[in-house]
Amino acid sequence: MANQDDSFIREVNEELRSDRMKDAWRRFGRYLIALAVLLVVGTAGWRGYEYWQAREAAQSGDVFLTALNQIDAGNLDAAEETLAQLEAEGHGSYPVLAELRSATLLSEAGDTAAAVSAFSSIGKDRSVPDAIRDAAKLRAGWLLVDTGTYAQVSAEVEALANDGNPFRFSAREILGLSAYGHQDYDRAQEWFEEIANDPEAPRNALNRAQILLEVMAADGEIQDAG
């Protein structure tokens, strides 16, 4: 008898669940269908957008290659036009790569002030990846070593000189050279010693820092090269 009762109760529960499902489907079925359609359409749309982005980026890559070929051929006016077009209409990372190459052309043409301005502008653009921004700041800093004040150089690169920053050795060298060029030998010594005392310093940067420390010590500009 107990088994029959259990069986009856299960059948009643299944009927109730079935009735609830039917009722729920009558009430919400159209919404579930609409949601499913939206998911399918949304996924298809996203895939289509990804494909479009990849295709546009590939086309931008071709334009960038054209600009590089124009530069190699010495056709700088055409290259500048191509790069300007890419800056305005390119996709992916190519607009900022075009900006960097345009700034380099300005530097190579001897227009240092415009090149510094261009690199500095890229370095301040928060839509640009950090690594590219930092590289642009370094380029601006290098150009300013010979043409700018120490304060101008510091404004571009000193934030990169902190421990742990992958660009710290280049930033310290730039700051040391700027200080040295302005005869601020104590400050130059500090920056070169930061390179010399860092066990992770690249060999070339370490050698240059040690040479300049020795030169300043030999000339009596600092107390020692320690």
Side-chain angles (χ1 to χ4, degrees), residues 78-100:
E80 288 173 1
E81 291 180 6
T82 303
L83 291 170
Q85 174 191 348
L86 194 54
E87 288 178 39
E89 303 172 2
H91 292 269
S93 298
Y94 289 102
V96 70
L97 292 177
E99 287 185 68
L100 287 168

Side-chain angles (χ1 to χ4, degrees), residues 5-101:
D5 289 342
D6 290 343
S7 177
F8 174 74
I9 290 170
R10 282 197 299 273
E11 289 178 8
V12 170
N13 286 337
E14 288 172 2
E15 287 295 323
L16 287 172
R17 283 196 293 271
S18 177
D19 288 341
R20 290 194 190 101
M21 287 295 294
K22 290 175 183 177
D23 183 58
W25 181 256
R26 282 195 297 270
R27 294 172 60 192
F28 304 112
R30 62 182 181 275
Y31 301 111
L32 294 173
I33 291 172
L35 178 60
V37 170
L38 284 174
L39 288 172
V40 171
V41 172
T43 300
W46 177 251
R47 294 299 183 191
Y49 176 74
E50 287 182 327
Y51 170 76
W52 177 81
Q53 282 281 74
R55 187 186 66 182
E56 292 297 310
Q59 291 177 350
S60 294
D62 292 339
V63 175
F64 187 66
L65 182 60
T66 296
L68 296 182
N69 289 335
Q70 289 169 334
I71 293 169
D72 288 341
N75 194 354
L76 300 185
D77 289 340
E80 288 173 1
E81 291 180 6
T82 303
L83 291 170
Q85 174 191 348
L86 194 54
E87 288 178 39
E89 303 172 2
H91 292 269
S93 298
Y94 289 102
V96 70
L97 292 177
E99 287 185 68
L100 287 168
R101 196 65 188 88

Side-chain angles (χ1 to χ4, degrees), residues 71 76 101 103-111 115 139:
I71 293 169
L76 300 185
R101 196 65 188 88
T104 300
L105 287 179
L106 290 171
S107 173
E108 292 171 350
D111 194 347
R139 292 296 303 276

Side-chain angles (χ1 to χ4, degrees), residues 98-167:
E99 287 185 68
L100 287 168
R101 196 65 188 88
S102 294
T104 300
L105 287 179
L106 290 171
S107 173
E108 292 171 350
D111 194 347
T112 302
V116 168
S117 179
F119 283 123
S120 184
S121 178
I122 296 169
K124 293 173 183 174
D125 187 348
R126 295 194 176 277
S127 68
V128 173
D130 288 346
I132 295 178
R133 289 176 59 204
D134 291 348
K137 291 175 185 177
L138 288 177
R139 292 296 303 276
W142 277 118
L143 290 172
L144 285 167
V145 166
D146 292 327
T147 62
T149 65
Y150 179 85
Q152 290 174 317
V153 172
S154 177
E156 295 292 342
V157 305
E158 187 156 355
L160 307 179
N162 296 327
D163 290 340
N165 191 296
F167 294 105

